[in-house]
């Protein structure tokens, strides 16, 4: 491992809505380095956005737009067949809305991450990936796109020279081909903080993980996702953060100067 | 009348939604100088916003955010009792969303105008007016607020040195006290293009209008509202524009250099 | 107190939405006799409605429609100026939607209760009260309207011979004139289970309560509201239920035969 | 052709929303025999539903629920991956809401038809078809399901003895396999009233149509869809109705006694 290695820890934040509370935003904000802020389409509302951005500012956490499908009742987790221009303009609308709040708080918008079904579709579907990236590109801000290494999203971003932070998941089981074991399968989500923390260190230090079949596979990783809506999220994040520090790996927002440069275009 | 007098013509634009079309945006855009773009709360959607901003850009028309209550089915025309922070953050969210599209089109956001019930409440209710202005202020853009002379909105904007364009209505009947005759009363809306055009010239040139009782009253006017959702809107706008030109009054977006400075704080 | 006195205990239920959970529906259902089911306008969604009606059926709890303004983000708590026909048709739509689920579960729809701002406005504003009752009347079901004694709602229901269950609040402070101390004032909500239970017994047995100034005032009461969204709701409901039973007061759904007849039309 | 042959003419109605008008509901109501009323998920609102049901009642037109995905901005035309219970409860909610209005008008609910993406998915996808039929079944009303002959929807309805009205399209081109030419292909929609009327007569009288390649194929038809949102809808409907009458084919709502019995279960 290179000296001075650093990794970003990102978490979904601001998923409350009106009278409803969701997630452990307040306690997680002290542990992560990037906050993916819901923008009102799949979760979040203007008050929640304002409070979440302000909380991130106070903790020096990087703020990003967590953009999703317009499906509040389904929490943006239902796949939709949405046209290119619909995706691009929905993404731009959500980024813009968040820019209102980052502007008010005097902090930059640092990254964009797709949520739920949009993330999953943009991972594999070139058309969706390109529409997503087109929406991000139009906002004309120097933002980083969060995307798994090797995904269509990464490819589309690289193609228009948009910085990418390659995302890995320390609490999810991987298949040998580098994709995640679906949540519907047993053992897909890891709950033991010790084990999750060890995987986090290996991903951050060496860019590799042990797949479900025991094979060690490469998973390039600039940012680790810390799930915020699962029970015990804060405990898990605390263990990950401690293990990284013990291993001499710093934590910093994904677009900080110490971050590795975005990956070259594949092929 | 001073030589070189100029007035802005503003109109509500981009009020379509999904499959639904509303207003004469395309034909009016060639006639007005400022477009109030609906931002998705009372009307409008991301595709409509993108198309409307692009159309405005091509015509050199100034783009502003038309912000309203979150009431799509009621078109933002139903009074609501909304908290200060709710108003400010709803306004900021809508302005931000539009900033995504103005940024993409490479045009500045020039103004903000409240819509429907929010406009009416902010005219008279100091708390609502201050919350609206607070939302506009937070976006940290050099925008002009559209507000009737003498309104609480104007007062709140002036109090924090926000430029104001004083709005007058050439197709509405005025009471002697300078307020509008409510739409529910007969004769409240004028339909004769000739008459409307004459009133437009008098408002723009001399800042006065004949009230319903025949009295001539002062109505300071930096921008004239051209209603876009009424039948014959384009015909009316054509007549107004022609009459202004015949009277030697130029038309220009409200924040252009030739525009009169914002009014001093009252009293 | 008459022998065989019986009171209804009603509670707001099914206020979850999509991924969001709200209230203690599961534990309260074993304690109350009437469930006010949110219908999707201010809270609730089709899955939550189906599950709540099914839970009520299993516990033999009477099902009613909890109808509100279309304001999910504001939880129906923001006053709105809505037209008569808008109120009537919004109410009818919500009742109808719930009738789908009661029909599927094979249970009758027993009552209707207004929620939040609609309840408060219909208490005092004759026009709103009449529009609400008109919406209920149109559903052509033999339902009981829940309304405070002496309210415009009660008056409007009685005027068209709609049964009314007069509602009282055992955990809220009353003013000497029989209205509630607003939530914004200190001491407006009572939290001590013992004290709340004593008030419940006195309301149910004698139709009276001690007001904030110590005066004992008459508050006719066919149904007691058990708040479901406050912390400790289940504990409070348990104490109330136990105290009523200790006092020999039965609990039964509001339209059961033992219930007192609806009040005569005032004056 | 059998003497006394009768066909139903159905059209989508009540697709307006809030301030937005869509379709030619008023003029088409005099020409069709069944109205598919939008229920607020993909289009429609409580006022529009009330007015549409009342208009249908006055014209003696059969009222049915037009149920769709919760996607107002996409008009229910975007495919979604929605769970079985989500589909069933969304369908039940919409049917229930409409039952409020049919009950108020004193007319029965006669049929249910899926809209847009839900119709297309339920045509081919057994899971979606069964979830749709499950939602309809739960409403416990003696309704007829509108579905193309041979579709998964028809199969699922027949499996639980739900009456089916087999739907054909007189203004759409068919492929030799009996499916529609997609709207995205040239020539998919027919606009010539004469030609559309001739196809309507052949479908109603003989249950067959000329496919795009000139072959004559069987298309069993109990109800003909008259599109209401296309320009010239009224003219087209007038031509169809006149041609049917000239051919001695009566028009009547789909569940009237003269209608052919529902098809036997396939296989």
């Amino acid at each position: 491992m290179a000296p001075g290695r650093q990794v970003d820890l990102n978490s979904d934040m601001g998923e409350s809505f009106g009278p409803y509370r969701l997630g452990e935003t307040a306690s997680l904000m002290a542990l992560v380095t990037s906050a993916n802020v819901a923008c009102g389409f799949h979760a979040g509302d203007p008050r929640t956005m304002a409070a979440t951005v302000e909380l991130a500012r106070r903790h020096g956490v990087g703020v990003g737009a967590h953009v999703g499908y317009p499906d509040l009742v389904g929490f943006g987790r239902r796949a939709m067949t949405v046209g290119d221009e619909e995706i691009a303009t929905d993404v731009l609308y959500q980024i813009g809305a968040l820019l209102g709040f980052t502007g008010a708080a005097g902090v930059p918008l640092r990254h964009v991450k797709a949520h739920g079904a949009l993330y999953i579709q943009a991972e594999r579907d070139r058309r969706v990936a390109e529409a997503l990236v087109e929406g991000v590109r139009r906002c004309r801000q120097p933002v980083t796109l969060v995307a798994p290494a090797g995904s269509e999203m990464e490819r589309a971003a690289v193609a228009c020279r948009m910085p990418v932070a390659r995302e890995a998941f320390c609490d999810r089981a991987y298949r040998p081909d580098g994709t995640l074991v679906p949540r519907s399968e047993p053992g897909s989500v890891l709950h033991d903080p010790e084990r999750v923390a060890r995987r986090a260190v290996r991903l951050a230090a060496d860019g590799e993980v042990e797949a479900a079949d025991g094979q060690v596979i490469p998973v390039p990783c600039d940012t680790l996702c810390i799930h915020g809506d699962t029970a015990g999220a804060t405990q898990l994040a605390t263990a990950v953060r401690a293990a990284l520090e013990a291993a001499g790996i710093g934590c910093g927002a994904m677009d900080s100067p110490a971050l590795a440069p975005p990956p070259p275009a594949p092929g």
Side-chain angles (χ1 to χ4, degrees), chain A residues 14-117:
Chain A
E15 295 184 328
S16 294
F17 175 79
Y20 302 107
R21 295 287 157 265
L22 196 73
E24 308 185 359
T25 293
S27 58
L28 279 174
M29 198 66 92
L31 296 163
V32 300
T33 47
S34 288
N36 317 316
V37 182
C39 298
F41 272 43
H42 67 276
D45 63 52
R47 266 70 61 205
T48 302
M49 292 168 75
T52 308
V53 168
E54 176 55 23
L55 193 67
R57 188 194 63 75
R58 286 209 303 270
H59 282 87
V61 166
V63 173
H66 203 201
V67 297
Y69 283 132
D71 177 19
L72 194 64
V73 75
F75 199 51
R77 285 190 173 146
R78 307 191 291 198
M80 293 179 71
T81 305
V82 180
D84 303 4
E85 184 65 12
E86 288 176 310
I87 292 173
T89 49
D90 276 1
V91 164
L92 180 56
Y93 183 99
Q94 292 175 77
I95 295 174
L98 185 59
L99 281 169
F101 296 97
T102 53
V107 299
L109 182 76
R110 298 205 163 196
H111 66 280
V112 174
K113 179 177 167 179
H115 165 83

Side-chain angles (χ1 to χ4, degrees), chain A residues 161-220:
Chain A
R161 298 164 192 260
M162 184 180 294
V164 174
R166 293 161 304 172
E167 182 173 43
F169 298 84
C170 48
D171 65 350
R172 291 293 300 277
Y174 276 85
R175 287 164 165 163
D177 68 355
T179 62
L180 297 176
V181 175
R183 280 178 185 274
S184 52
E185 296 184 17
S188 61
V189 181
L190 312 180
H191 297 286
D192 174 27
E194 291 299 306
R195 189 168 165 215
V196 171
R198 277 198 306 275
R199 290 166 74 88
V201 170
R202 191 165 188 181
L203 281 162
D206 308 311
E208 59 186 35
V209 77
E210 194 180 309
D213 68 347
Q215 246 185 87
V216 172
I217 58 168
V219 176

